[in-house]
Amino acid sequence: MSDSVTPAEPGSAPDLAELARVVARQRAEMDRLREQAATSAVVERAKGVVMALTGCSADAADETLLQRAKAARRTLLEECWITLGDPAPARSGAGGPGARSAADTRGAASGLPEAGPSVAPSAPDDVAAALARLGRALVHADSPRDLARCLLEHLAPDLGADSVMIYARRPGGGLELVGHAGIDERLAARWRQVPPFNGIAILDALRSGAPRWLEDFAEDSERYLLIGDPPERWRSRAWLPVPAGEGAEVCIGVLRGRSGVFTPRDRTHLEGVARLCAGRLRTFAVPARPAAAAHPDALRPLFEALPVAVMLLSPLRGPCGETTDFRVDAATAQAAAVLGGTGDDPVGRRLREYWPGLTDEPLWQGCLDALATGEPYEGRPFARHEVADGVTALSMYSVRVARLGDSLVVTWLRHASSDRQEQRLADLQRLGNLGWANWNLSTREVSWSSQVFAILDRDPADGPVRLADLPGLAVPEDRSALSHAVGGLAGEGLPFDVPFRVRTAHGVRHLRLVAEAVTDLRGTPVEVHGFVQDLTARRRAELALVESEQAILTQHDVLQAERTLVARLQNALLPLPRRAVNLAGLRVEVAYLPAQAGIHVGGDWFSAIELPDGDALFVVGDVAGHGIGAVATMAQLRFTAKGMVITGSSLTGALARLNTLLLHSRDTHGTATMVLARYDPGERRLVWAQAGHTPPLLLRDGEVTYLRRPSGMLLGASTAPRYEEAECRLQPGDRILLYTDGLVERPPESIDVGLGRLAEAVAARPDHATGSLGALLDAMLEGERRDDVCVLDIRLPGKPQGHDEP
């Protein structure tokens, strides 16, 4: 046999070779795609590290990597591996040593430290290395929950983190928990939605664009609503906005069970973590707007074709997240006409700019409520003048607002003439709180308006009642009168206007039924129509008025009795002489005027008596404050002072004991001032002492002077006061005034001004005529008195000179 090649059968060796080549090509393509995916992941990780450690944007990080690779004559992939802190794989065609040399010289070429990626000058090397490890781990995080778990694994051993929570801002301004680790699902479900309230640390961080470090649990719990069940589970927290600065939409929370501050290294570490996560969070955590709201341009052709007035609005928010205005994204021509009819296109403009008075309209609050709650807003109908064919007509519109994602759709509906008539009837019933009713006596058909069902608190599903059954709805006391009126109307056609009451789930209501009959040719009633009106509010007002009148009459009687009691109390505590009296050769005139606001007995008092030895005692005092407490203290001091002096106590001794009384008695009230004076008629000697009181005034030979005050402290102000006596020799014709500060004080002026005014008034009337004290009071007191006034006018008669003083 000779060696020969047998022709191959179809489907034998040549077909297998072709199949092997196809498989090889597929494997090569898969390897290429796998390498491409790995390369893209490495690039994204490297960009994240640069962003985290330098605070730059994603585009700036990409440009930084390209520039570094170009400067070091490396590929972008090699530079990314170097940035991540790993040795760069050898390029094809390059020897191992060459590649190693390039890796060893990366620090000088790219500005990176040998240990890892580029860091800020203040970041420690271990922080940079930790962030590089995190950057490599984040590549495998495919969801916010994976990201939270990755962060907790990274931060637990280094910062003592126990939990991580990731919140994203939602269209209504609130927050939604999009990722978490270290907490159970029950707690996560409870705190999944956070409303846009004040006192939320997460919202503060998002609004300010700066982290919130919660390191003092007691202080933080007073300032913020803390997440947790109970909140004490985490004693310290950090909330980091992503990205930092204005426009942050996501916030990362790092929660620790232990107390303590976040050190500068911890803060640098956490801020780097937030920047490192910015790219990943941007892909799956930022709330997405609906396609229609995100692309208003696509809706404009649709809006132009709509035959009604409709507008698409997007909210514009202030720095604190509140809605300050709306941008018009799309609008029909009819909407522009309803808003103003100026012909200007509102699209792209701010709504408040296009409609300046919007914030004063109910529609503004309706838009805010619809945006926050998602519930549609239905506005009340309003009128608008329109010109059609040169004729001005009044048209009725109503407005409706509905939320579409983070946008609003506002629609204005024009009512036809029949709609307007129905609306007017509805307005009439609503404003008058009444409803119409109709009874057909022939067909027994009954029809009520919806307002009648509301007034009677009757379910419309139960239907209206017949006219003969209507009295059964009234309370038993009113059924007879209503039955009589209904019988007269149905039998004889007599109209009526009858009040009656019904008992509902909301209490007793006072109603009014007005009805009349329609008769046939023979005068027989065949139909009854009328209305039911709710008069409950009016009746309650009438009853309240009657009760007020009765209360006023009762109060008048009480006040009259109090006036009688006060008059008796005044006469018992502080009897006033009706005319001047003579004491130890002195003529004494008294005046007491209580404050015009308050009771007629106050804290001022006087005493003018003749002592057993023939001397005269004069006392004037003033208790601080007003009311019953001041009156009680006044009475105690008045009677005690007289008793002490009558029983032989000196003036200074009496003041010292009265001071002790005020300090240690529970029945006394506050502090008091007082002046005590004793007159010896034999020597015409006036000895006096004072406790914080205004000085006596002396009128002698037409000249006015104030006596020099001896030492004396306010009663009740000190446990060791010092009191001294002073002496004054009176001469015939002298006049002494003892008074309380109500005579001279006029707030807010100084009391020295009042003392000067008193001196001028006394000098202007130096005569000793009867009644001069009343004239003095008229000159000194103007307008309403805020304080009591008490005056003792003491005069030593002069020598007879042709006529004697009475």
Side-chain angles (χ1 to χ4, degrees), residues 545-748:
L545 181 60
V546 172
E547 292 176 357
S548 297
E549 292 177 349
Q550 293 177 348
I552 290 174
L553 293 175
T554 302
Q555 186 67 18
H556 178 270
D557 295 340
V558 171
L559 290 176
Q560 189 64 34
E562 288 181 352
R563 289 191 185 98
T564 303
L565 178 61
V566 166
R568 293 177 179 177
L569 179 64
Q570 177 178 0
N571 186 59
L573 295 180
L574 202 64
L576 296 175
R578 297 182 179 179
R579 56 181 179 271
V581 296
N582 292 316
L583 296 174
L586 300 175
R587 182 179 182 275
V588 182
E589 190 174 354
V590 179
Y592 176 78
L593 300 174
Q596 292 180 341
I599 61 176
H600 293 287
V601 179
D604 291 14
W605 85 93
F606 69 90
S607 289
I609 61 173
E610 190 168 308
L611 299 175
D613 59 2
D615 289 357
L617 174 66
F618 302 104
V619 186
V620 171
D622 183 2
V623 174
H626 299 279
I628 298 300
V631 173
T633 303
M634 176 273 291
Q636 191 171 15
L637 292 178
R638 180 174 186 266
F639 294 116
T640 304
K642 290 195 299 182
M644 288 181 180
V645 177
I646 289 176
T647 56
S649 175
S650 66
L651 301 183
T652 56
L655 289 177
R657 292 182 178 89
L658 291 174
N659 179 76
T660 303
L661 176 67
L662 277 182
L663 288 174
H664 299 287
S665 175
R666 295 182 180 180
D667 300 329
T668 54
H669 177 86
T671 59
T673 68
M674 183 185 296
V675 58
L676 291 171
R678 183 167 185 158
Y679 177 69
D680 180 0
E683 300 181 2
R684 292 203 299 266
R685 185 167 63 98
L686 182 71
V687 179
W688 65 288
Q690 62 88 29
H693 203 83
T694 50
L697 180 145
L698 172 64
L699 174 63
R700 175 176 291 172
D701 298 331
E703 294 185 4
V704 177
T705 58
Y706 285 101
L707 301 183
R708 185 185 62 82
R709 295 198 309 170
S711 297
M713 186 175 291
L714 188 74
L715 295 178
S718 173
T719 57
R722 179 187 175 190
Y723 298 105
E724 296 180 351
E725 293 182 353
E727 180 180 320
C728 177
R729 295 279 183 168
L730 298 185
Q731 300 177 9
D734 283 353
R735 182 182 184 186
I736 294 287
L737 285 183
L738 304 180
Y739 53 91
T740 57
D741 56 6
L743 181 66
V744 294
E745 278 190 334
R746 289 185 187 176

Side-chain angles (χ1 to χ4, degrees), residues 783-796:
E784 182 179 356
R785 293 186 304 277
R786 298 184 180 181
D787 199 359
D788 305 332
V789 176
C790 183
V791 182
L792 281 182
D793 188 357
I794 305 170
R795 306 178 187 181
L796 180 61

